[in-house]
Amino acid sequence: MALAAATKSLQLIGECVPCVKQNASKFKIKRLELDQHLLMYFRKDDYIFAHDPEKKCKTGDIVLIEKLPEKLSRLITHKVKEIVYPLGDVTDPFTGKNVVAGKFRDQIDKVNQAYGKLPTGFDYTKAPKRGWQEDKKDFSHVETYAKYHEDGKDQPYSV
Amino acid sequence: MNAICSSIKLIPSNLSNLGSLRNYAFKSDLKIKWTKPEKIACFRPEKSGDLEGMPDIDKSRYPLQFKNCKELENADENVKRLFSLQFHRRSQHTNVYINDMMDQVRRHPMDKGSMEARIARWTGAIRSLQIQMDVHPRNKKAKVNLKELIEKRNKHLKYLRNWDYRRFEWLLENLQIAYKPVPSEYERVSRKGSLTKLTQIYCDNVVQERLDTYREQLQEEQPKFLEEKINTLEFLQQEQKDCGVEVTITQEDIDKVKEKLKVLLEEKAKKAEDLE
């Protein structure tokens, strides 16, 4: 029932989840579904595939997706319009400043300078863009699985 | 009555002899061998994601409490030796190692509580305890400590990933940790389930193989088909001219096909050269 409602609307906001498809990304659409017996709303997630040939959506991004006039395939019904909130790169909408958890980045920087900044600390200007550790040390962009078979080969996505 | 019952009982066995399909207890003919992966303890580095172990600490170094001691600088050689790590407990070695780990990521000299410093501290402790576990595998307190530390570190890595992705990746690189999220659904490793998955992989491979061979076959036939197409187009163009009908096939169409054929043949020659 929720899926029918989701497919009806033209634009949706969803969270990108790991997906192996090469030209599309998978999105989790959060909906609230009314339970008629309890008269309460419960969370219900739907999954939608959106056309994304460059794979610019990364896992965890909040993305605005738009319905295609015609289905591209049996699964791909939407296309990516805009990445609204990239994961791990929060900007405060009021001040336009970057935020880490509960603090502004420039405030953190001022504290570091007051104590005497060290070159060992993390530097935003030198840091490469997100994704340079993919498949090397960061495996959060794929769906991991419990290892079920020993075939002598290296299985990087098994836990 | 008994006769009827016995005849009813006989029916299924007769049917199975006739070759009807059995859904239950079905055994596949495919020769897929399943080897169950050996269980790895949760605190082992393979599971915890530690790509590096604790190295041997230089024994001529001083423990943390004597690190900046001015009296030791001018002291006698024997005193220096006695105060070095050589005559201290293992825990002092670990403290020095933890401090080294934190030094790699410190924001400022007083930094002890930042996210990266804490994760570095736990990483040092984890790697030290992992060595302890190899030496004393029945040390239950260390085991519990270690497991809790690993889980705490994973939890905070998860938070850091959400807050500041680039710092998270930088930290993984600096501390040599591999971060793998927990699978979204828990599935017990079973013989039946594993064989189902392996059969699926086998079938997918068979389909892909057949598709590939068919593709190759079609590609080999392509030049021949294009030559035939050129001949047919030329013949039709000539016929249209001869009959005085409107000429619908232009020279451009034929040239296009010829160009395509040329490119194809060139590619083929290149491939053959590469193979040699």
Side-chain angles (χ1 to χ4, degrees):
Chain A
M1 195 179 132
L3 184 68
T7 42
K8 247 186 218 170
S9 33
L10 285 171
Q11 284 192 355
L12 293 166
I13 272 211
E15 186 196 331
C16 188
V17 291
C19 158
V20 287
K21 277 192 185 296
Q22 288 189 345
N23 61 342
S25 298
K26 194 179 175 186
F27 293 96
K28 184 163 80 177
I29 314 286
K30 184 192 163 188
R31 302 219 150 239
L32 292 173
E33 203 180 37
L34 179 70
D35 188 315
Q36 291 287 353
H37 301 291
L38 300 173
L39 287 182
M40 262 173 80
Y41 283 94
F42 289 94
R43 183 184 173 139
K44 174 136 183 5
D45 288 333
D46 295 322
Y47 293 93
I48 280 181
F49 287 89
H51 188 52
D52 182 14
E54 293 148 22
K55 272 274 179 190
K56 57 183 178 183
C57 300
K58 305 244 175 190
T59 308
D61 290 351
I62 305 293
V63 181
L64 189 65
I65 54 176
E66 196 177 31
K67 200 179 179 188
L68 283 167
E70 258 181 43
K71 270 189 185 182
L72 261 187
S73 72
R74 189 172 58 86
L75 287 173
I76 302 171
T77 51
H78 287 67
K79 70 170 180 192
V80 172
K81 200 181 179 197
E82 190 193 342
I83 298 173
V84 189
Y85 301 118
L87 181 76
D89 202 9
V90 185
T91 312
D92 174 30
F94 292 111
T95 53
K97 286 179 185 170
N98 285 320
V99 184
V100 176
K103 286 172 189 161
F104 289 117
R105 274 184 202 173
D106 48 358
Q107 275 180 1
I108 297 172
D109 202 42
K110 271 177 195 165
V111 171
N112 293 346
Q113 270 167 4
Y115 279 107
K117 211 174 173 182
L118 283 176
T120 49
F122 176 70
D123 191 356
Y124 285 100
T125 51
K126 284 179 196 164
K129 266 170 85 179
R130 176 190 164 177
W132 65 292
Q133 283 297 338
E134 256 179 30
D135 272 338
K136 287 175 193 161
K137 294 195 176 77
D138 175 21
F139 293 92
S140 55
H141 64 293
V142 281
E143 195 86 63
T144 53
Y145 58 91
K147 193 174 188 177
Y148 59 87
H149 176 55
E150 190 71 69
D151 56 355
K153 289 178 204 157
D154 185 32
Q155 298 183 26
Y157 303 147
S158 68
V159 174
Chain B
M1 191 63 200
N2 281 340
I4 296 167
C5 282
S6 60
S7 65
I8 288 169
K9 270 181 194 170
L10 277 174
I11 292 168
S13 66
N14 286 341
L15 274 178
S16 67
N17 288 341
L18 286 170
S20 67
L21 275 173
R22 259 164 65 130
N23 287 328
Y24 62 95
F26 168 74
K27 274 192 180 170
S28 166
D29 290 339
L30 296 173
K31 288 200 172 58
I32 295 173
K33 200 176 170 272
W34 172 61
T35 31
K36 191 175 183 179
E38 218 172 280
K39 197 186 173 190
I40 302 170
C42 58
F43 53 81
R44 303 283 309 162
E46 298 95 302
K47 283 266 178 179
S48 71
D50 287 283
L51 304 175
E52 250 179 24
M54 178 178 161
D56 287 331
I57 304 289
D58 182 11
K59 282 187 181 154
S60 60
R61 287 170 72 182
Y62 298 123
L64 283 186
Q65 62 266 36
F66 308 129
K67 204 175 123 194
N68 300 322
C69 184
K70 275 175 191 162
E71 279 90 346
L72 270 177
E73 280 172 19
N74 310 319
D76 184 56
E77 274 306 309
N78 281 332
V79 177
K80 273 188 186 175
R81 205 170 132 253
L82 279 172
F83 273 85
S84 69
L85 275 177
Q86 197 185 343
F87 295 101
H88 278 91
R89 291 165 165 232
R90 216 196 86 90
S91 63
Q92 298 292 345
H93 294 232
T94 307
N95 286 346
V96 170
Y97 175 57
I98 288 175
N99 198 50
D100 286 354
M101 290 295 275
M102 282 169 78
D103 278 342
Q104 282 184 39
V105 292
R106 258 188 237 277
R107 293 178 182 180
H108 51 79
M110 311 286 285
D111 182 20
K112 283 178 185 171
S114 72
M115 203 64 173
E116 47 264 38
R118 290 163 82 198
I119 289 174
R121 189 166 70 221
W122 297 329
T123 306
I126 287 167
R127 287 177 189 173
S128 164
L129 277 171
Q130 275 168 345
I131 293 178
Q132 273 298 85
M133 285 310 296
D134 285 342
V135 184
H136 306 289
R138 294 171 75 89
N139 186 347
K140 293 289 174 341
K141 267 189 186 171
K143 190 174 168 183
V144 172
N145 252 336
L146 179 53
K147 186 165 189 278
E148 284 179 358
L149 270 178
I150 289 168
E151 282 165 2
K152 184 153 73 173
R153 185 181 67 179
N154 274 351
K155 184 173 82 176
H156 283 79
L157 277 172
K158 185 179 76 185
Y159 292 157
L160 184 64
R161 180 175 169 269
N162 285 349
W163 292 338
D164 202 344
Y165 209 104
R166 290 195 285 162
R167 190 188 292 270
F168 163 77
E169 284 185 317
W170 167 84
L171 193 63
L172 291 187
E173 175 65 25
N174 269 19
L175 299 181
Q176 298 290 325
I177 309 169
Y179 176 76
K180 284 183 189 176
V182 188
S184 54
E185 274 174 37
Y186 171 74
E187 208 174 327
R188 201 172 64 88
V189 174
S190 64
R191 185 180 167 276
K192 192 177 176 182
S194 307
L195 276 175
T196 313
K197 280 177 198 160
L198 288 175
T199 312
Q200 188 59 49
I201 291 170
Y202 175 83
C203 294
D204 289 348
N205 284 343
V206 167
V207 169
Q208 196 54 45
E209 222 172 78
R210 286 188 189 173
L211 278 173
D212 286 347
T213 46
Y214 186 53
R215 191 191 184 87
E216 265 176 32
Q217 188 196 331
L218 288 179
Q219 271 173 347
E220 271 187 14
E221 283 171 10
Q222 239 174 355
K224 205 178 159 192
F225 168 79
L226 284 176
E227 274 168 20
E228 204 182 318
K229 190 178 174 184
I230 291 167
N231 288 339
T232 321
L233 282 174
E234 276 171 351
F235 168 74
L236 284 173
Q237 196 189 28
Q238 196 58 40
E239 284 288 292
Q240 280 177 342
K241 274 178 192 168
D242 289 349
C243 296
V245 200
E246 190 197 348
V247 182
T248 50
I249 298 159
T250 57
Q251 192 58 38
E252 266 181 26
D253 296 335
I254 300 171
D255 287 346
K256 254 186 203 169
V257 184
K258 276 181 181 169
E259 186 66 27
K260 211 174 171 184
L261 180 65
K262 204 181 149 190
V263 172
L264 254 180
L265 288 175
E266 273 174 11
E267 270 178 13
K268 231 181 178 182
K270 231 182 202 179
K271 263 187 194 171
E273 264 181 31
D274 287 344
L275 278 175
E276 279 170 12

